[in-house]
Every structure is written in structure tokens, then in C-alpha cells.
Amino acid sequence: MQFLSPAEIVLRVLVQLIPVWASLALVLGLGLVFRKRLGLLGHVVGSGVGFAGLFLVGFWLFAAIFARQIELFDPLGQIAELQFASPGAIDPHSGLPYLFGGDKLARDVFGRVIAGARIVLIIAPLATLLALSAGIMLGLPAGYFGGRIDALLSFLTNLVLAFPIIVLFYLLVSPGILDTPIPYALAAVFFAFPVVLLSVLFIAGYRARPAALALRLGLTLVAGAWLFATFVFNADPFRLIQVSPSTLNIFVAVALASGPGIFRIVRGLTLDIKMREYVFAAQTRGESPWYVMLWEILPNARGPLIVDVCLRIGYTTILLGALGYFGLGMPPESPNWGTMINESSRFMRIYVHPALPPALALMSFVLGLNLLADAIREQSLRD
Amino acid sequence: MASFLARRLGAMLLTMLCLTLIVFYLVNLEPNLRKLAISQTEMHASDQQLESWLVKNGYRRPFLERYAAWVGIWPKQPNIDPVTGVATPRFSFCDEAKTPEFSGVLQGDLGCSTKFKVRVVDKLGPAVKATSILMFWVLVVMIPTALAIGIVAGMREGSRTDRILSIVSIVTTSTPEYVSGVVLTIVFAGWLGWLSGSAAAATEGHMTFYNFALPVATVAILGMGYVARMTRASMIEVMNAQYIRTARLKGLSFRAVVLKHALRNALIAPFTVIMLLFPWLLTGVVIVEVMFRYQGFGQALVDAAGNNDIDLLLACSLVSVILVLVTQLISDIGYAWLNPRIRVH
């Protein structure tokens, strides 16, 4: 069997990633050129930490987008001769190299790591957005009204927070539970939050302009219907996205695990902001409570929320990795980073190369998000 | 203070009751019971045999009655053999009462582990002890290192030391235990060969630096960066306070200011953070125990969950919920006690 030399491997990897480099250069270059006009985002690009964070996050984002163009082999395909092949081994049939070598089932580690980015970058941000809309929808009234509502909602979130995450995952993401209505019911609740949030937002904000309200409400409801059809019932009317019940289950478990944290932050911010003059002004104008919450308090809470969302996508990525590591939810052949780490860690003493790439991939993505969050926090405090 | 404690304890009890009820519900879902029955009967048992096993062992009794019996506020019914009419224990390894009696968590009876074929107490006791040893060493390594990093970094904000240490701590917070465990094992067990990649021997009482360093380091790294960042933030806040400037202007040396004036106040926030970190470390411990084959609480939890060992899983959940709630309580009380500006009412 023939092998590429280490220098050739590095070169080939760089060449394969050309779509990523090009997009990164374009986006970061534009960001740097126009940083004076971009406000906060411009400051973030201009700072060293922020640039590093954007670079890492952007790298994985574009890797996920261009995964099909980057990978040389099908991430699930097996070539028997290349089991545990060293990095740079050349497939005798196609003449293409396994850049990071082959794993236990003779699959291409490089292609699998890139394909893994796709899984993470779809599930982690979406699940975080679900958790975010749930956190906003419940945290705002809890902080704004206080009293019984606050006591009840805080008790419920403390309940989830006191649940050891690992137990929650084992109970909620087991294959058996898919035969029960629990995951679908939870998914229906979680996917209802963004729809309800947007509807209330528009109803409260466009009460005086029925035409604009009808348009926005209609769009929200159509999008909501598609969301429900696709995710909860796995029946996308356009047949574009397939969401298997086990993927749905992961969405729900991860959103449930990170929702309470966002709830607490939103509640705390609301408690702080509701004492400001502009809130009193809106109340004196006779605005409805939901208008005050969604159009006065929420926009002014966005800074800390953006930082938290960045951190939380990273946290969600770690949770997804843990799920994959324990083999929960994802199919065993799926190229997600957690499963890859678990599989290869059993042979770690003999073959190092299948274990390191997914581990470093996961770490660098989370690191990028953490750096980005740090930079945003620092730059927004500066103003 | 007394009424604060009473209210907190009341809320804790309610939380525990709700959570155990949820866990009890989830482990008793039909698919999970089936899984248990399949693993407990011989291969290729028919649906009828599975059903009769579940009935025979009392899994078909009313849900709330079984939950109440598990808690210990309802008498646990003995298992009557339908043929002979004699009360026989469900499992040979686990002596259950022959007459109805109160025997639940409140009485200290956690039930029988179907997976390990022992009483849950006998399984969980040594497991919790093993994990406590692991956690003890994790804390011994983690807290001083994290505090030192945070204090040195926050002492002079923006200095080169501060930047380097901040990068180190942000990298460690971005590294989940299953990543750091793999990387550390590759480097120290694989390439250098200094340490062992398995802590299996450590469980049997042969605990050495050689087999125990990697699991401890892996869990410690997980929490270290977070505590260090909190300590740094707290230290920066204190160092910018008026009384520190006064102390400096009085002519005290930088060293004296840091050691005598800043440190005490800067350590209040990290204390609560460390306490709140326990639940987070618990997940890490589970992964590390599985990864390094250390027979502790985490391994028991994973085995229980994987085999739907109802009583063991319930006991594990109970232990972890208690850990979470107690550390929260300690963190609140400790915060108020350390910080004279806060008084609980």
C-alpha cells in the first residue's frame, strides 16, 4: 500500500479545504474592511480574541456547508483494506488518500470529521434557539410579574436543574421511549415556543396596523406549521428535511437541558431592566404588559443574551458529544464527534489517529464559541 | 435564619419528591419494563412469559402504590408464590419481608439491583465511596490550581501573565472530559508511557499515582478553567475597589495589599462557584469512570440505566439529586456567611 508523506498530507488537507479558506477570507476580509461601519460586530472582528473566535466558528460553519465538496469518500463507506490505515494511506481502487487514516470499520476519518461538523452545526444552534425561545417566553413573565407565576416557573426550572443531566439523558434518549408519546409531546411543547413568541411579539407590536400584523402573523403561522410538520411529525411537505424520531429526541433532550439556564438569565435581566425609566414610560403610556416585555425589555437585554447564546451553543455541542459518547440517540454508524471519540478511544493505545481528529474538532469549535462570547462581552462592556 | 432554612428544606423535599416521581414514571414505562423482563428471563421468552414475569414480581401493581411503597409511606407487599401460596422473596440475593411492612427509602431500604444481583445498598455503598475518593483528589488538585491561576491572572489585569493564563483557562473550559481524557491518555499513557490509561486496579484498593493520576487530572481540568475565570473576574473587581487603592496609597507593598486585603474578599465568589460546580462535575465523573474503567458511582449509574435496573437507577438519581440540592444550599448559606453585606431573612 502506498502512503502520502506528512508534508503531502498537510498540503492535501489545505487544498481540500479551499472552499472553507475562500469563504473565510471573504467574510473576515469584508468584516475587517468595513469594521468601522459594523458597530459591535466590527469591534469584535477587530479584536484579536474576537477574530480568533470568528475564525474557528467560521471554519466549522463553512466546513459544514461545503462538507460534500470537501470529503473525498462517503463518511459511511468502508474500504476493507484500509482498516486502521495510517494517515495518508492511498486507496488502491480510486487512488484517493485517507488523509487522516482509516478507523475500526475502515472508514475515512477525515471525511467523517467534516461530516460530523454538519450534524453539530445543525443540531446545536437549532436546539439552542428552541431553548432560547422557551427561556424568553417563560423568563420574561416570571421576572416582570413576579409573585405566583415566578414561584411556579422558578420551581419547575429548579426541578430540571436539579436533575443530573446524565440521568436525564439516559432516561429520555433511550430507544424504548420512542414507542411512547413523551418525546413527541415534549417536542410539540418546545417547538410551540418560537411560534407563540413571534405571534405574541407581532400582536403586541402591530396592534395599530392590522394589515402589517396580518402579514407577519400569517408568515409566522405558516412557518410554524412547516416546523411542526417537519420536526414533530417527520412529514416535511417539501420532502427536503428528514428528522428521524431519534434526532427529534436529541433536540428535545438538549433543549430541555439548556432551557432552564436561559430562563434564569432572562428572569434576572428582566428584574433589573423593569426598573428603568423607559419601562415606566411605556407603562404610563398604557402599553400592554406583553408589549413592555417584548418591545421594551427584551431588546435591551440582547447584549448578555447574545453572549449567553454563544456560550450555550458550545455547551450544547459538549452535550451532543456526551450523548454520542454514550451511544444515546444517534445511530451507531453516524459520523458524530462523540461517537467517533468513543469508538476510537477503545483502540487508543494502538491506533492514535482515529481518536485525535474528532477530539480536536470538538474542542476547537467550542473554543471558538467561547472566544467569540468573550470578545462580544468585552466589546459591549467597552461602549 | 431558621425560617430561611426551614423553607429551603421544604422546597428541597418537594423537589426530591417530584424528581423521584418523574424518574419512577420514566423507568416504569412499558418499553423499559419489557426490556427488564427480557433481560431477566431466559432467551426467547414469549410475550406471555414476559407478562407473567412482570406480574409475578409485582411490576403490574398500581403505579402510585409502588411509588409510595418505594418511598416507604405504604406497606411493601410480600411476593406470594401463586402455586404454593407461600411468601417467597422475588430475588434470591435480596431478602425481602414475608409480611406487608413499611420498607422504603425512609426506612433505609433501597431495594434490589436486578443487574448486579445484590441489594442496592451493598452495590451503591462501595461505589459512592470510590467516587468520593476520586472527587476528593479532584478537589485537592483543582481548587488550589484554579485559585492560584485566577489570583495571579487577576492581580494585574491585562498583563502578559494575565493573557497567557486566561487563554489556558478558556482552553480548559472548552475541553469536555471525553476530549481531555483521550488527549491525556494518548500523551501520557500512549506516547510517554508514564501513566496508566486504566484505573480498574484503583477500585480494588491498589490506588497509585500511576493508575489514578489520569482520571483525577481529566475531571480536574473540566472544572479548573471555569473556577479560574470566576476567581480572576472577582479578583479584578476587588483590585479596582477603593479600599485597595487606599491601601496602596498608604504605602503598603503590592504583596501585602494582595495577601491581606484583596484575597479574602476575592475568594467569596469562587466559593459559591465551586459549590455549584458539583452537579457539573458529576456528569464529568460518570464519563471519566466509564473511560478509565473505575468502578464508582458513575459506572453504577451507567450500568443501571443501560439495563433498566429500576431500584439501582432510582437510588442513583436520589443520590445525585441530594448532591445537587445540598451543594446549592451550602453555596447560598456560605455566600451569606462569608459576605457580611448579605443577610438572609
Side-chain angles (χ1 to χ4, degrees), chain B residues 59-138:
Chain B
Y59 290 105
R60 289 292 185 221
R61 286 180 172 283
F63 174 75
L64 281 179
E65 182 200 312
R66 287 171 49 217
Y67 177 69
W70 178 78
V71 175
I73 50 177
W74 191 268
K76 207 176 248 179
Q77 299 298 327
N79 195 40
I80 310 286
D81 195 303
V83 186
T84 57
V86 182
T88 42
R90 290 185 298 163
F91 308 109
S92 53
F93 47 85
C94 188
D95 52 317
E96 286 176 317
K98 300 231 166 30
T99 50
E101 63 174 39
F102 292 96
S103 178
V105 175
L106 294 176
Q107 288 81 22
D109 176 12
L110 291 171
C112 317
S113 160
T114 45
K115 156 85 175 131
F116 293 99
K117 314 245 178 264
V118 288
R119 292 194 308 156
V120 167
V121 184
D122 298 337
K123 171 69 194 168
L124 213 54
V128 168
K129 191 181 154 218
T131 298
S132 314
I133 297 172
L134 177 63
M135 283 299 268
F136 171 77
W137 286 108
V138 166

Side-chain angles (χ1 to χ4, degrees), chain A residues 79-131:
Chain A
I79 298 171
E81 298 97 314
L82 294 176
Q83 186 190 31
F84 286 128
S86 300
I90 294 174
D91 169 30
H93 310 291
S94 61
L96 292 169
Y98 266 23
L99 287 169
F100 292 163
D103 67 1
K104 185 186 74 168
L105 294 174
R107 295 165 302 193
D108 177 27
V109 174
F110 176 73
R112 284 174 73 74
V113 169
I114 298 291
R118 224 170 208 194
I119 299 180
V120 164
L121 272 118
I122 290 173
I123 298 186
L126 272 180
T128 309
L129 278 184
L130 281 188

